[in-house]
Amino acid sequence: MPNRSDLPADFRWGVSTAAYQIEGAVDEDGRGPSVWDTFAARPGAVRDGHTGVVACDHYHRYPEDIALMRGLGLDGYRFSIAWPRIQPTGAGAVNPAGLAFYDRLVDALLATGITPLPTLFHWDLPQALEDRGGWLNRDTAHRFADYTAAVADRLGDRVPAWITLNEPFVHMVYGYALGIHAPGRALLLDALPTAHHQLLAHGLAASLLHGRGLDVMIANNLTPVQAASSSAADLAAADAYDALHNRLFTDPLLLGRYPDLTAFGVGPDLHGAVRPGDLDLITAAPLTGLGVNYYNPTRIAAPTDPGGLPFDLVDIPDVPRTAFGWPVVPEGLRELLLTLRDRYPDTLPPITITENGCSTTEGPDDPTRISYLATHLDALATAITEGIDVRGYYTWSLLDNFEWAEGYHQRFGLVHVDSATQRRTPRSSYAWYRDLIATHRAKSATR
Ligand code: IFM
């Protein structure tokens, strides 16, 4: 069996983070409020009332965090840019101090030999745009294009590749359909236009980036979908869930059309959101890479409530679970990558794993995280030897950080962060990842 020591010589290693989860400094240097500031301040919205007001104080401590990255020997760092720092109200003049922060961050990374990989939107929409409908409003896609142009004009001379959006599925479902995340809307299937408006935003931004000679990716949260049995009803339910979670976001990008959502009683215009020509805008610029965020497979059965959604989520039996309760199935990563190749044989671009990792309750010694990373990297190595073009792996995450509705309770970091003192303590997984990267590099040099 191939394993992680067989990864290609030019394979790139990284870590991933996101602005609201680590930066803090929410009122500094002209940053405007985001939907997450508003949501986290709402009593009961986030576990124990945690917020991102301080988070990991990365806004001030980024030199220390880059030193930690240097210690790992990383090739790349995936972070996100906070739109409300660049345009405090989501439109109009840019805030020079906001741009200057990312300018400093990018220069500091490059000085360390680490390639910056920014994500333009990781869920922290300027509140002023939410007040005008957020991603339910088509205009937000155009505002995103303006914001993208401003940031690319400033950083594009030093940043070769860009990720437009992070996990539009999760943002749609948790933020707009169920109300578990900001902006806290519980619209169920009426949230579907937010999928299209996010993809339209991606397409408009991708064209701008491509026009500037920059590489463009999008980071999707994808899951292999297992039917609970081979019954026709379970298979149909699994197909419906797969359409909603995966194909709703990859078919428009890679096939230029939306999947069939008739199982949800939804037509191809997603409740009137899709206008003639939109799919051409979404695909106008080629994706130079597909970012895959993989955490676990999803098991689906036929619905028990005939009046509800056309699927039930069911537990995957007999597998370990992370502290979050998520099933640990490394083989699911390989299965997912093979499915993508089968589904998009002519259009699938090279893949980068833009997130993968687990929360644990462990202290400085975190063998569970090491095992999670090792087994997923072995599954990835197998997929690569089976012909899948995967260029790199960015683990989630460098630091323990603000895990959205779970606050600081779910800890994903290679580095433990004491929320009271901001003291960073590398865990044993940090040393393991460092040694893995060094070993891979040494082996690659002799090939
Ligand atoms: O912390 C999140 C991240 O913001 C998006 N992907 C999943 C991670 C773990 O839940």
Side-chain angles (χ1 to χ4, degrees):
M1 273 296 259
N3 68 31
R4 55 195 177 277
S5 63
D6 301 316
L7 289 162
D10 55 358
F11 192 78
R12 295 179 66 76
W13 299 98
V15 294
S16 270
T17 66
Y20 189 76
Q21 294 181 269
I22 63 166
E23 284 181 1
V26 294
D27 290 324
E28 283 186 48
D29 294 337
R31 177 187 178 278
S34 78
V35 290
W36 268 98
D37 298 291
T38 310
F39 184 76
R42 191 187 294 172
V46 175
R47 201 169 150 194
D48 287 339
H50 291 171
T51 74
V53 168
V54 177
C56 303
D57 194 29
H58 172 80
Y59 192 76
H60 301 111
R61 295 172 194 257
Y62 72 89
E64 183 183 351
D65 295 336
I66 292 176
L68 286 165
M69 294 179 217
R70 187 177 53 226
L72 285 168
L74 299 183
D75 297 299
Y77 172 46
R78 175 180 176 233
F79 58 98
S80 81
I81 294 176
W83 187 349
R85 288 198 194 282
I86 309 301
Q87 288 176 303
T89 60
V94 300
N95 170 29
L99 270 179
F101 169 66
Y102 296 104
D103 210 48
R104 293 194 295 278
L105 179 67
V106 161
D107 282 346
L109 287 164
L110 291 172
T112 310
I114 297 174
T115 304
L117 178 59
T119 302
L120 285 156
F121 180 70
H122 197 125
W123 306 347
D124 45 358
L125 192 75
Q127 180 61 43
L129 291 185
E130 182 57 33
D131 294 342
R132 299 207 289 273
W135 287 109
L136 291 163
N137 182 349
R138 182 181 175 91
D139 186 59
T140 298
H142 294 284
R143 301 288 66 76
F144 182 74
D146 291 350
Y147 151 67
T148 297
V151 180
D153 285 346
R154 178 67 174 263
L155 303 178
D157 58 336
R158 285 155 289 154
V159 175
W162 295 71
I163 295 174
T164 53
L165 309 176
N166 180 70
E167 299 181 353
F169 168 79
V170 177
H171 192 49
M172 172 184 81
V173 171
Y174 281 62
Y176 287 90
L178 302 177
I180 297 167
H181 282 182
R185 313 272 320 255
L187 303 171
L188 302 177
L189 289 174
D190 287 341
L192 276 168
T194 67
H196 180 63
H197 295 149
Q198 288 185 82
L199 287 167
L200 184 61
H202 160 84
L204 297 172
S207 290
L208 288 167
L209 294 165
H210 187 65
R212 286 162 172 76
L214 303 168
D215 284 349
V216 186
M217 309 202 324
I218 183 170
N220 281 341
N221 176 299
L222 299 176
T223 183
V225 179
Q226 311 173 347
S229 78
S230 57
S231 74
D234 284 349
L235 289 169
D239 186 62
Y241 186 80
D242 184 46
L244 184 72
H245 190 131
N246 296 314
R247 285 181 277 133
L248 179 59
F249 298 91
T250 44
D251 281 8
L253 292 164
L254 299 175
L255 299 178
R257 61 169 186 259
Y258 278 108
D260 181 0
L261 295 178
T262 47
F264 295 87
V266 174
D269 68 350
L270 302 187
H271 293 319
V274 183
R275 296 186 187 168
D278 281 0
L279 284 153
D280 294 336
L281 292 174
I282 290 171
T283 54
L287 270 182
T288 32
L290 179 67
V292 170
N293 294 0
Y294 172 75
Y295 289 92
N296 52 261
T298 308
R299 192 170 174 90
I300 295 294
T304 41
D305 171 8
L309 289 168
F311 61 82
D312 279 356
L313 295 163
V314 293
D315 276 348
I316 298 178
D318 306 326
V319 295
R321 306 223 156 231
T322 71
F324 227 139
W326 298 351
V328 178
V329 187
E331 172 63 17
L333 176 56
R334 171 176 167 264
E335 185 191 331
L336 172 65
L337 297 174
L338 298 180
T339 300
L340 285 170
R341 181 180 58 185
D342 292 348
R343 202 165 266 177
Y344 309 109
D346 302 323
T347 51
L348 185 66
I351 288 170
T352 295
I353 306 302
T354 35
E355 287 183 28
N356 177 243
C358 66
S359 62
T360 78
T361 52
E362 293 164 335
D365 194 23
D366 55 348
T368 306
R369 178 169 291 104
I370 293 172
S371 162
Y372 183 99
L373 299 178
T375 50
H376 284 75
L377 281 160
D378 286 349
L380 184 60
T382 304
I384 291 173
T385 59
E386 289 171 308
I388 312 291
D389 185 358
V390 184
R391 303 284 172 91
Y393 177 90
Y394 289 67
T395 193
W396 185 273
S397 185
L398 176 68
L399 306 170
D400 289 345
N401 59 48
F402 177 77
E403 178 53 34
W404 309 116
E406 289 290 312
Y408 298 94
H409 290 291
Q410 298 296 341
R411 295 181 163 257
F412 283 83
L414 301 178
V415 176
H416 174 270
V417 179
D418 182 322
S419 304
T421 63
Q422 291 297 337
R423 180 151 184 254
R424 275 96 162 118
T425 309
R427 293 191 166 99
S428 50
S429 58
Y430 175 97
W432 178 87
Y433 198 48
R434 176 197 65 206
D435 293 349
L436 174 69
I437 294 169
T439 304
H440 172 258
R441 216 164 265 146
K443 193 169 165 187
S444 300
T446 61
R447 277 186 212 169

